[in-house]
């Protein structure tokens, strides 16, 4: 099995390199600017403070998101308060909301003409801080889910031992708990950072000048060379973060005990309770209620006007298919890397997740074209590659590898190596170990990883459009975008609600499984 | 095994049971920058009416054009249906479109096609103002230039990131010249217009009174017909504000299915399809003699500004100008 894992992890690296090579070629030898402008230079991306705004937005969103999501994960695992379970699940739903929908509905609702903004006299909702709010709400659930999975694997016995030995609560938190969840905090913070710097929807709607904005602009003016340079700039932002991550994650946590016994839940004090409900209200209010009420409002208005609704059966089926298979593949490849522990491969999983989907899709297209041309396969071969869906799923895997990797890696890190040795000493094969011991221990992390991948692909658009068009897949996210762009609100609303519904079903199923293991 | 799985998963399963295409006939691939909501139902009729089996890939027009240019001879696209003719111009400028036969060109109003004959318009959206009906029509500007008047301070909306906006500014550069266009943009910007990410929110904003005047394409209003807002086109004949934005079709120069592609292109400007655009999407037909929707005022002979369609495609300097003015 070790050989399979190693092979798989190298394959993951190859998948990551595929789009990057296509982009590198476009950056080094750019296609001519159709408008006869100067050839793109690396320095272009430094103009206009784009880099500064991008980094600032990324860091602020990450810090706030780790704070909000970390706290919610903590109280979900350790506190007992009315509504804890349903609030915990509802609070994850912003992950299913395409960020342009989230940003647009929040901007309308909280803006001067909206049903919240108007009575409160709020100003126009846009710009840096607007985008910060939207992105924190969009990313905090990732932190909540990943850190929650890590907390769920801790056992009460260690903490009780520490308490018995006279350690204060604060000291137990610092010395026993924090080191165990530190990798989860750092890795989920990294997910938030990658999301914030590669997202286009929220910054476009809220008019924030960041790198992705200019990058889309370049793609839309047939200037792939310039777009590729901006992609490289995004990767350069991420590189120092890798080093910081390795440092922040600290020592690999020693394994947890074999059968973790959950600690007793405590009733939180009034201040904690207020903070908890306040943060739930923020995430669920902004990230779930506002968008779903707005989408619902569009549906109701459509019904009142007697509009005909397009059937949702086929897009729902295609979404389920794309997200199900895509998430499973992403978890598989992320699992190979997480298990193999190769340092280079481990860092590579983050590279492509820092790139906006449209650039990643172009990278894959350029690589596929280069291979086609090299072997002289022509139109037929290129068409067959696209039509097979292989590029589509490679696109999903490489785009979301990092998001799925976080919860898987922390799960593997918390595995107790001694169990493995014991099993081996008792003559169990590595497959037996995987099925009987390792698998169940990793299951909560894998469930969290799968739900993250599933929701991410559920709402994905640029890769689905560009690489999935030839496969005939027509997803709910496509329906929302297609109808939204043409201001056919009733259909956009219905498809959006279907998307949220599907996400809720999948989250409920995977989280139940996570709890029962 | 993995590839097999992928292939199975991605197996396209078209809806319904379309009649089998004649043996050996290729499936025509259409890159459509026009949304499924606009043309999906239309293309379902394509095979029955033309005998050509089509497969459509949807996307944003600019991205599809970038993709087609990168793909070159390997591109699966036989035909491209673009939301903005400006992008067809970009393809034509890079020799990615095949010249169309004169028989096809003759069916389309000469103002609504490429003077070099490499694409034809399939339907048009007129650039108009949308205004709050509390504003008396008499007070509305008779010409686009008047939006620079300081009396509109704090009352305007626009969407500089939008493709039609940029194509219209390209038209203004051709009609007015660079300097005048730049100073007009500067003066309007000094009126502090509210920026929108796209056209349509301006309809609602004008209806709510959040803005008094928005600068949009005509057909969004007809979709929802809010009572407190209305469309307005400039009363001055041939005003630079009265410009038609065209959606159009071109045939890929690399397509091995030229004949079938032309058949579908011709079908798109046929009377039946032109009436579809007029009645279903409230657009202006490009084929002479096809009536507009009752809610859409017909064009008079002298309504539109006289402009070479190629000018609308000259987006590079437009974007540079907008960036220089801080509008992008």
């Amino acid at each position: 099995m070790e050989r399979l894992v190693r092979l798989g992890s190298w394959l993951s690296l190859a998948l990551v390199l595929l789009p990057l090579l296509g982009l590198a070629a476009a950056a080094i030898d750019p296609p001519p600017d159709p408008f006869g402008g100067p050839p793109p230079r690396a320095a272009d991306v430094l103009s206009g403070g784009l880099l500064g705004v991008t980094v600032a937005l990324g860091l602020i969103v990450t810090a706030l998101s780790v704070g909000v999501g970390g706290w919610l994960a903590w109280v979900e695992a350790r506190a007992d308060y009315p509504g804890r379970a349903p609030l915990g699940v509802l609070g994850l739903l912003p992950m299913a909301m395409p960020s342009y929908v989230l940003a647009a509905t929040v901007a309308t609702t909280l803006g001067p003409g909206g049903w919240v903004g108007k009575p409160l006299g709020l100003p126009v909702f846009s710009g840096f801080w607007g985008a910060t709010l939207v992105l924190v709400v969009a990313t905090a659930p990732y932190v909540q889910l990943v850190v929650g999975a890590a907390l769920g694997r801790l056992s009460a016995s260690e903490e009780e031992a520490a308490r018995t030995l006279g350690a204060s609560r604060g000291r137990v938190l610092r010395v026993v708990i924090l080191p165990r969840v530190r990798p989860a905090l750092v890795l989920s913070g990294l997910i938030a950072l990658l999301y914030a710097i590669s997202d286009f929807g929220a910054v476009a709607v809220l008019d924030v000048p960041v790198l992705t904005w200019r990058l889309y602009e370049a793609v839309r003016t047939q200037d792939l060379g310039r777009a590729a340079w901006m992609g490289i700039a995004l990767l350069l932002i991420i590189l120092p973060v890798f080093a910081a991550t390795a440092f922040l994650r600290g020592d690999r946590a020693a394994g947890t005990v074999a059968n973790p016994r959950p600690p007793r839940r405590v009733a939180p004090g009034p201040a904690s309770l207020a903070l908890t409900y306040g943060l739930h209200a923020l995430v669920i209010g902004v990230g779930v209620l506002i968008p779903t009420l707005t989408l619902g409002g569009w549906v109701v208005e459509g019904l009142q006007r007697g509009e005909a609704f397009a059937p949702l059966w086929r897009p729902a089926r295609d979404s389920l298919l794309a997200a199900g298979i895509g998430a499973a593949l992403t978890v598989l490849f992320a699992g190979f890397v997480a298990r193999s522990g190769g340092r280079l491969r481990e860092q590579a999983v983050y590279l492509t997740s820092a790139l906006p989907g449209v650039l990643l899709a172009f990278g894959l297209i350029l690589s596929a074209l280069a291979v086609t041309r090299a072997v002289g396969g022509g139109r037929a071969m290129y068409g067959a590659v696209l039509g097979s869906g292989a590029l589509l799923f490679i696109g999903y895997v490489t785009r979301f590898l990092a998001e799925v990797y976080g919860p898987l890696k922390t799960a593997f890190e918390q595995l107790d190596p001694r169990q493995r040795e014991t099993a081996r000493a008792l003559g169990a094969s590595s497959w037996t170990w995987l099925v009987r011991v390792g698998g169940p221990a990793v299951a909560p992390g894998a469930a969290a990883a799968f739900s993250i991948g599933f929701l991410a692909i559920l709402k994905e658009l640029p890769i689905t459009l560009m690489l999935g068009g030839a496969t005939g897949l027509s997803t709910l996210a496509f329906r929302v975008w297609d109808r939204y762009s043409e201001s056919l609100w009733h259909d956009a609303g219905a498809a959006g609600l279907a998307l949220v519904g599907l996400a809720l079903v999948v989250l409920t199923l995977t989280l139940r499984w996570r709890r029962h293991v | 095994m993995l590839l097999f799985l992928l292939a199975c998963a991605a197996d396209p399963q078209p809806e319904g049971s379309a009649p089998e295409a004649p043996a050996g006939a290729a499936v025509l691939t259409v890159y459509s920058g026009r949304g499924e909501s606009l043309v999906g139902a239309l293309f379902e009729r394509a095979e029955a009416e033309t005998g050509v089996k089509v497969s459509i890939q949807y996307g944003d027009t600019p991205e599809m054009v970038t993709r087609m240019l990168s793909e070159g001879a390997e591109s699966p696209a036989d035909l491209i249906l673009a939301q903005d003719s400006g992008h067809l111009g970009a393809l034509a400028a890079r020799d990615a479109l095949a010249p169309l036969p004169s028989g096809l060109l003759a069916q389309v109003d000469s103002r609504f096609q490429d003077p070099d004959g490499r694409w034809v318009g399939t339907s048009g959206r007129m650039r108009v103002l949308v205004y709050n009906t509390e504003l008396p029509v008499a007070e509305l500007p008779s010409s686009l230039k008047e939006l620079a008047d300081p009396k509109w301070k704090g009352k305007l909306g626009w969407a500089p990131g939008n493709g039609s906006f940029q194509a219209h500014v390209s038209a203004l550069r051709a009609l007015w010249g660079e300097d005048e266009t730049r100073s007009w943009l500067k003066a309007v910007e000094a009126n502090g217009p509210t920026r929108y990410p796209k056209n349509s929110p301006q309809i609602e904003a004008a209806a709510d009174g959040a803005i008094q005047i928005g600068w949009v394409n005509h057909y969004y209003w007809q979709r929802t017909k809010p009572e407190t807002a209305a469309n307005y086109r400039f009363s001055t004949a041939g005003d630079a504000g009265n410009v038609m934005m065209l959606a159009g079709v071109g045939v890929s120069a690399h397509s091995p299915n030229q004949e079938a592609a032309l058949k579908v292109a011709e079908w798109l400007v046929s009377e039946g399809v032109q009436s579809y655009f007029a009645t279903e999407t409230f657009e202006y037909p490009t084929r002479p003699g096809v009536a507009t929707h009752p809610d859409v005022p017909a064009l008079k002979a002298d309504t539109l500004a006289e402009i070479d369609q190629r000018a609308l495609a000259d987006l590079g300097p437009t974007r540079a100008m907008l960036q220089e003015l801080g509008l992008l």
Side-chain angles (χ1 to χ4, degrees):
Chain A
M1 194 181 68
E2 276 77 10
R3 271 182 55 191
L4 180 70
V5 167
R6 216 169 25 249
L7 193 71
S9 69
W10 285 112
L11 188 57
S12 306
L13 179 66
L15 292 185
V16 166
L17 289 179
L18 199 59
L20 292 180
L21 289 175
L23 291 177
I28 295 164
D29 181 20
D33 182 337
F35 302 111
R41 288 167 303 129
D44 288 353
V45 302
L46 300 171
S47 66
L50 289 178
L51 207 58
V53 179
T54 307
V55 171
L57 185 68
L59 292 180
I60 293 173
V61 166
T62 306
L64 291 173
S65 180
V66 167
V68 173
W71 176 264
L72 289 178
W74 172 249
V75 288
E76 200 192 359
R78 296 301 176 91
D80 197 14
Y81 56 95
R84 177 179 52 82
L87 288 173
V89 176
L90 280 179
L92 298 176
L93 279 182
M95 288 197 291
M97 209 63 75
S99 67
Y100 71 94
V101 174
L102 188 61
T105 54
V106 169
T108 312
T109 308
L110 299 184
W115 58 270
V116 175
K118 203 170 196 172
L120 294 179
L122 295 178
V124 174
F125 185 92
S126 76
F128 187 88
W129 293 107
T132 303
L133 174 66
V134 167
L135 287 170
V136 167
V137 166
T139 53
Y142 288 101
V143 180
Q144 187 189 337
L145 194 53
V146 176
V147 174
L151 281 170
R153 285 185 298 265
L154 294 187
S155 175
S157 48
E158 285 183 313
E159 290 164 43
E160 283 160 6
R163 292 283 282 160
T164 316
L165 293 171
S168 68
R169 266 173 204 270
R171 194 169 154 75
V172 171
L173 182 67
R174 239 181 16 257
V175 178
V176 181
I177 301 173
L178 213 51
R180 286 284 161 79
V181 293
R182 208 159 109 177
L185 277 171
V186 171
L187 289 172
S188 60
L190 195 52
I191 295 175
L193 178 69
L194 292 168
Y195 191 108
I197 66 167
S198 66
D199 175 70
F200 178 66
V203 293
V205 172
L206 300 172
D207 204 7
V208 189
V210 290
L211 266 174
T212 46
W213 175 279
R214 203 50 74 75
L215 189 151
Y216 260 77
E217 183 77 16
V219 169
R220 296 170 70 88
T221 50
Q222 292 88 51
D223 200 351
L224 273 185
R226 208 171 299 266
W229 275 112
M230 307 217 172
I232 291 171
L234 281 173
L235 295 183
L236 290 178
I237 294 181
I238 286 301
L239 284 181
V241 177
F242 286 167
T245 312
F247 172 73
L248 283 171
R249 257 162 68 180
D251 304 326
R252 300 289 154 92
T256 39
V257 286
N259 296 301
R261 182 165 53 82
R264 223 167 358 137
R265 295 178 181 281
V266 293
S272 302
L273 205 58
L275 178 65
T276 304
Y277 282 125
L279 293 181
H280 273 311
L282 175 79
V283 174
I284 296 173
V286 174
V288 185
L289 279 183
I290 287 180
T292 48
L293 286 177
T294 310
L295 295 171
W298 293 346
V299 171
V300 170
E301 281 168 23
L303 289 171
Q304 283 166 350
R305 278 203 307 270
E307 302 270 10
F309 284 81
L312 288 168
W313 182 81
R314 178 164 177 228
R317 182 201 64 185
D318 284 3
S319 279
L320 205 57
L321 205 63
I325 297 172
L329 287 172
T330 314
V331 169
L332 182 69
F333 282 107
F336 285 146
V337 179
R339 190 71 193 127
S340 80
R343 205 93 196 154
L344 175 72
R345 284 158 280 169
E346 203 164 56
Q347 309 235 316
V349 300
Y350 295 107
L351 287 174
T352 40
S353 298
L355 298 179
V358 73
L359 193 65
L360 192 57
F362 264 109
L364 283 170
I365 277 184
L366 292 173
S367 292
L369 283 167
V371 172
T372 305
R373 282 166 191 157
V375 303
R379 200 175 187 254
M381 173 179 160
Y382 176 69
V385 169
L386 275 174
S388 74
L391 282 191
L392 173 70
F393 285 100
I394 294 175
Y396 287 149
V397 168
T398 48
R399 176 79 182 87
F400 299 119
L401 207 47
E403 290 175 20
V404 162
Y405 181 75
L408 271 183
K409 183 67 187 172
T410 47
F412 279 122
E413 284 193 346
Q414 286 178 337
L415 272 185
D416 190 340
R418 283 162 302 187
Q419 288 181 342
R420 184 78 192 274
E421 287 149 23
T422 314
R424 199 169 282 168
L426 293 171
S429 74
S430 42
W431 286 106
T432 315
W433 173 83
L434 180 73
V435 172
R436 307 271 287 274
V437 186
V442 177
F450 181 84
S451 13
I452 284 180
F454 188 91
L455 298 194
I457 295 173
L458 203 57
K459 69 177 173 187
E460 206 286 329
L461 188 65
I463 293 173
T464 309
L465 269 185
M466 216 175 304
L467 304 177
T471 65
L473 279 179
S474 177
T475 63
L476 284 172
F478 166 72
R479 173 68 64 81
V480 174
W481 169 78
D482 184 72
R483 299 318 200 255
Y484 179 87
S485 341
E486 286 300 328
S487 310
L488 295 167
W489 309 113
H490 62 288
D491 264 349
L497 288 182
L499 206 145
V500 173
L502 202 56
L504 192 58
V505 170
V506 168
L507 271 179
T508 314
L509 289 177
T510 48
L511 295 188
R512 170 170 311 202
W513 181 55
R514 182 183 89 176
R515 292 222 170 80
H516 282 184
V517 164
Chain B
M1 185 196 75
L2 194 62
L3 286 176
F4 172 73
L5 264 171
L6 287 169
C8 291
D11 187 24
Q13 297 172 355
E15 287 266 276
S17 51
E20 284 293 309
V27 176
L28 199 73
T29 299
V30 178
Y31 277 10
S32 177
R34 308 212 76 195
E36 186 190 51
S37 59
L38 291 179
V39 297
L42 182 67
F43 272 108
E44 277 171 22
R45 293 168 23 191
E47 191 180 346
E49 296 182 12
T50 64
V52 179
K53 209 173 162 65
V54 292
S55 143
I56 309 165
Q57 297 191 26
Y58 294 101
D60 253 344
T61 303
E63 278 138 67
M64 298 216 110
V65 168
T66 306
R67 185 176 158 189
M68 234 175 117
L69 287 173
S70 308
E71 290 172 337
E74 278 76 25
S75 181
D78 296 297
L79 200 71
I80 177 163
L81 180 61
Q83 179 76 343
D84 317 284
S85 62
H87 290 97
L88 292 171
L91 284 172
R94 302 259 305 261
D95 296 325
L97 296 182
L100 299 174
S102 52
L104 171 54
L105 298 171
Q107 297 179 42
V108 176
D109 189 319
S110 60
R111 292 172 297 171
F112 302 150
Q113 56 180 269
D114 175 27
D116 297 329
R118 285 167 304 183
W119 57 264
V120 289
T122 48
S123 61
R125 291 98 67 201
M126 174 125 182
R127 292 289 291 170
V128 295
L129 299 183
V130 60
Y131 67 100
N132 184 290
T133 44
E134 275 176 28
L135 200 64
V137 180
E139 278 186 29
L140 287 167
S142 63
S143 150
L144 179 66
K145 270 207 176 136
E146 292 170 37
L147 285 183
D149 192 316
K151 79 172 181 181
W152 298 116
K153 198 168 258 267
K155 295 180 176 166
L156 303 176
W158 66 5
N162 176 268
S164 298
F165 178 104
Q166 295 173 8
H168 199 163
V169 172
S170 303
L172 296 181
R173 286 177 35 241
L175 293 164
W176 294 344
E178 307 289 333
D179 293 344
E180 206 171 328
T181 305
R182 185 182 289 108
S183 47
W184 179 79
L185 284 169
K186 230 186 245 175
V188 177
E189 172 70 0
N191 281 336
T194 307
R195 289 171 63 113
Y196 292 89
K198 50 194 236 161
N199 276 317
S200 54
Q202 295 178 71
I203 314 297
E204 217 182 313
D208 292 350
I211 56 174
Q212 293 294 305
I213 293 181
W215 194 25
V216 297
N217 297 337
H218 81 275
Y219 69 160
Y220 295 106
W221 180 84
Q222 276 84 2
R223 295 269 180 74
T224 49
K225 292 211 256 181
E227 279 170 19
T228 49
N231 275 350
Y232 169 79
R233 73 185 184 207
F234 298 99
S235 49
T236 309
D239 188 72
N242 295 341
V243 172
M244 190 70 81
M245 296 289 136
L246 295 172
V249 65
V251 172
S252 166
H254 303 291
S255 164
N257 307 312
Q258 295 286 331
E259 202 180 318
L262 278 175
K263 211 179 262 181
V264 173
E266 196 150 354
W267 171 74
L268 283 167
V269 297
S270 68
E271 266 187 57
V273 173
Q274 289 289 298
S275 320
Y276 173 93
F277 286 131
T279 53
E280 299 296 320
T281 64
F282 308 103
E283 291 174 289
Y284 287 92
T286 55
R287 185 188 182 92
V290 178
T292 55
H293 187 280
D295 285 345
V296 178
L299 291 177
K300 292 189 206 121
D302 62 354
T303 304
L304 293 178
E306 273 182 43
I307 184 149
D308 183 335
Q309 281 295 332
R310 281 170 296 198
L312 272 65
D314 188 26
L315 286 174
T318 298
R319 285 169 189 273
M321 184 184 286
L322 293 174
Q323 273 177 17
E324 175 198 319
L325 294 172
L327 297 178
L328 270 190

